[in-house]
Amino acid sequence: MLHSSLGLLLSLSTAALAAPLSGRYTSAISLANLAQQKVLHDASPIFGEYEQTSAHTSEWMKKYPDSTKLVHMNIPGTHDSSTWNYSDATQSALKHVTDLDGVTVYPPEIYRCQDKPFIDMLNLGIRVFDLRFAFDPTNSTLVFWHGQALQSETATVEDVLFGFYKWLEDHPSEAVLLSFQYEGSTTLHAANDAAVQLSMFNILTSDHAKKYFVQTQGQLGTLGEARGKITLLRRFDLDQLAESYSEQLPGLHFSPSLWTDNDPNIALTYNTEKNLTAYIEDYYGLDSPIGSGAALNIQWKYNATTAHLLKAATQYPNSLFWSFASSNYDADTPPETPEIMALGNGTGYTPRGGVNHLLVPFLKNMTGKRVGIVMFDFFETPNTLVPALLSL
Ligand SMILES: *[C@@H]1O[C@H](CO)[C@@H](O)[C@H](O)[C@H]1NC(C)=O
Ligand SMILES: *[C@@H]1O[C@H](CO)[C@@H](O)[C@H](O)[C@H]1NC(C)=O
Ligand SMILES: *[C@@H]1O[C@H](CO)[C@@H](O)[C@H](O)[C@H]1NC(C)=O
Ligand SMILES: *[C@@H]1O[C@H](CO)[C@@H](O)[C@H](O)[C@H]1NC(C)=O
Ligand SMILES: *[C@@H]1O[C@H](CO)[C@@H](O)[C@H](O)[C@H]1NC(C)=O
Ligand SMILES: *[C@@H]1O[C@H](CO)[C@@H](O)[C@H](O)[C@H]1NC(C)=O
């Protein structure tokens, strides 16, 4: 045991940090580095194995001046980001946990919206992450869920934040925006109670969060102010705690009570004093008749997304636009998974591909126009999608 854990630390130190070992002694590695390796390893079921790579998309924000306002930028994001490793194997490994509570867990393709780890997302240009938290089944730590699907029993919200901190240290030109939302209906007895809210509050006001989160409240500033840091997009309330808690959190507050469900055209005022409104498209449950099939549903979602992107290009130039090109599982007969919606169902059924393929020519045609934040499922396919949004 001792031998293999030392071996692990050594291989992590060379792979993750590329730090040559001086002398024969592992004691040459500082405790700070060992602690960093441990936390990155703990985060890896959600964050992915940390590695340093450079791709032309890993520092795309370098080409914009510090004075650029974030609301004027086109920024790619991923929907339900933590679902990338959710497979039959993950599900059966974690099922015992949720089984205790007697909830039904559906097949993995219903929950899965991504297939690349966070580290790859970051290096491929993704800067906005949609993160869904709730307590683990023992109510002791905050972990990641998509509905009833527990994404990892061990990688906590706090562990994964350290992955982002490390990446930002390595890429100080970049700005990351994290959307945090309380995920309901995880287990039979789960509740968004004071203990959950206090736990999230403590994470977001810890010393590490104060160092790495932009501390401005209620408005988005410039890229220069956001570089090397995380901007919080807070899609949760602290309604079980005293008002003073909420007042201490940084970032923008998108109260779930104002975020109307399944709406292609939300206008959400996140700062009443300054009258700052975000325009959001979050139309995921399509109203198409049962039996419409993949091709028609893909067109339906594409229409809602592009209508909103055109609005972003032509209206409210100084307001935040946030569009979801992603889908949820559609109980059509036969059903469409998020993957079928994003990527299509084979050339025989969806000859033009999925929403992602249809968006490439649309986004190329929008070059030079502001479309805002756009959230994707399976964002890396086709590999021209994110570059089209970034005009790379
Ligand atoms: C992905 O899930 C599988 C199955 O549970 C697991 O063996 C593997 O370690 C996971 N990958 C990471 C990076 O955690
Ligand atoms: C977790 O918290 C919920 C809600 O307060 C409670 O009903 C449940 O019994 C707790 N579970 C455990 C394992 O303590
Ligand atoms: C708030 O801003 C919107 C445009 O974003 C405008 O239509 C509305 O009149 C403003 N309200 C106030 C009270 O200034
Ligand atoms: C997808 O294609 C398969 C055949 O490959 C077909 O059986 C299924 O019905 C299609 N699904 C949808 C949603 O069109
Ligand atoms: C999508 O929009 C196009 C162009 O406006 C229209 O012809 C088509 O009927 C729409 N399709 C769906 C499924 O809404
Ligand atoms: C390109 O965008 C313009 C509006 O900016 C629109 O009128 C035109 O139809 C679009 N062309 C294509 C091929 O999407």
Side-chain angles (χ1 to χ4, degrees):
M1 281 309 285
L2 181 64
H3 179 78
S4 70
S5 58
L6 275 177
L8 175 66
L9 289 174
L10 283 169
S11 68
L12 273 172
S13 77
T14 45
L17 302 171
L21 293 176
S22 52
R24 289 176 282 139
Y25 301 109
T26 55
S27 59
I29 308 170
S30 71
L31 179 60
N33 274 349
L34 292 170
Q36 177 180 287
Q37 286 161 20
K38 185 202 181 292
V39 73
L40 293 178
H41 186 68
D42 290 347
S44 65
I46 298 293
F47 195 81
E49 293 290 350
Y50 198 92
E51 54 182 338
Q52 276 176 355
T53 54
S54 61
H56 71 301
T57 42
S58 60
E59 298 194 334
W60 65 263
M61 287 177 160
K62 269 187 176 162
K63 75 170 180 176
Y64 294 92
D66 280 355
S67 58
T68 313
K69 288 199 157 62
L70 290 173
V71 293
H72 291 162
M73 295 180 72
N74 295 343
I75 313 181
T78 48
H79 161 251
D80 248 311
S81 314
S82 68
T83 58
W84 63 275
N85 194 36
Y86 198 69
S87 64
D88 285 315
T90 325
Q91 192 173 69
S92 52
L94 295 172
K95 200 163 185 296
H96 68 281
V97 180
T98 40
D99 273 352
L100 292 176
D101 243 355
V103 296
T104 308
V105 185
Y106 298 97
E109 59 272 21
I110 288 183
Y111 302 101
R112 185 161 171 156
C113 302
Q114 304 297 335
D115 57 9
K116 291 270 186 221
F118 288 12
I119 180 74
D120 291 14
M121 292 180 186
L122 287 163
N123 288 331
L124 291 168
I126 297 297
R127 295 292 173 268
V128 187
F129 291 74
D130 168 24
L131 305 175
R132 317 286 182 88
F133 66 90
F135 263 152
D136 74 307
T138 67
N139 290 344
S140 49
T141 54
L142 293 177
V143 293
F144 298 91
W145 297 80
H146 183 195
Q148 302 74 22
L150 177 57
Q151 301 299 317
S152 166
E153 213 174 342
T154 56
T156 65
V157 167
E158 211 160 20
D159 294 334
V160 170
L161 283 177
F162 278 88
F164 285 108
Y165 303 156
K166 168 71 175 142
W167 190 83
L168 287 164
E169 290 280 348
D170 289 342
H171 304 276
S173 55
E174 304 305 291
V176 168
L177 296 90
L178 299 186
S179 163
F180 273 106
Q181 185 181 5
Y182 175 75
E183 188 75 346
S185 314
T186 53
T187 62
L188 204 54
H189 301 291
N192 187 5
D193 57 15
V196 167
Q197 297 186 5
L198 186 60
S199 189
M200 198 59 190
F201 171 85
N202 286 338
I203 291 171
L204 293 171
T205 54
S206 62
D207 287 346
H208 59 77
K210 287 210 169 93
K211 180 168 155 82
Y212 289 98
F213 277 73
V214 174
Q215 293 297 307
T216 312
Q217 294 178 311
Q219 55 190 328
L220 282 177
T222 63
L223 177 59
E225 291 158 3
R227 287 194 208 274
K229 297 204 180 248
I230 294 168
T231 297
L232 176 65
L233 305 175
R234 172 157 73 98
R235 289 185 63 185
F236 63 90
D237 295 332
L238 296 181
D239 55 356
Q240 303 299 306
L241 306 177
E243 185 66 27
S244 59
Y245 285 84
S246 207
E247 286 163 2
Q248 292 173 59
L249 288 185
L252 270 51
H253 183 201
F254 301 92
S255 175
S257 63
L258 302 175
W259 188 297
T260 43
D261 188 45
N262 197 31
D263 190 337
N265 230 330
I266 304 171
L268 193 159
T269 301
Y270 56 89
N271 183 332
T272 44
E273 205 178 304
K274 295 205 161 82
N275 191 26
L276 300 177
T277 297
Y279 297 90
I280 300 163
E281 175 269 311
D282 186 20
Y283 181 55
Y284 60 84
L286 307 173
D287 300 321
S288 55
I290 294 285
S292 293
L296 194 63
N297 279 323
I298 287 167
Q299 186 65 41
W300 201 295
K301 176 68 204 191
Y302 172 80
N303 281 10
T305 307
T306 52
H308 204 253
L309 298 181
L310 282 169
K311 184 173 169 178
T314 51
Q315 295 180 38
Y316 307 114
N318 296 316
S319 297
L320 176 64
F321 271 76
W322 190 359
S323 307
F324 287 76
S326 51
S327 306
N328 79 334
Y329 173 79
D330 187 23
D332 193 8
T333 39
E336 283 94 29
T337 60
E339 185 170 4
I340 290 178
M341 289 295 293
L343 307 183
N345 187 32
T347 47
Y349 292 87
T350 53
R352 299 171 65 215
V355 172
N356 290 6
H357 303 88
L358 298 183
L359 281 174
V360 173
F362 176 87
L363 289 171
K364 283 191 172 153
N365 187 38
M366 301 292 276
T367 299
K369 303 211 168 74
R370 188 281 299 266
V371 294
I373 297 173
V374 189
M375 308 294 275
F376 301 109
D377 284 337
F378 300 94
F379 73 97
E380 78 286 3
T381 306
N383 64 8
T384 45
L385 179 63
V386 166
L389 177 65
L390 296 177
S391 307
L392 288 175

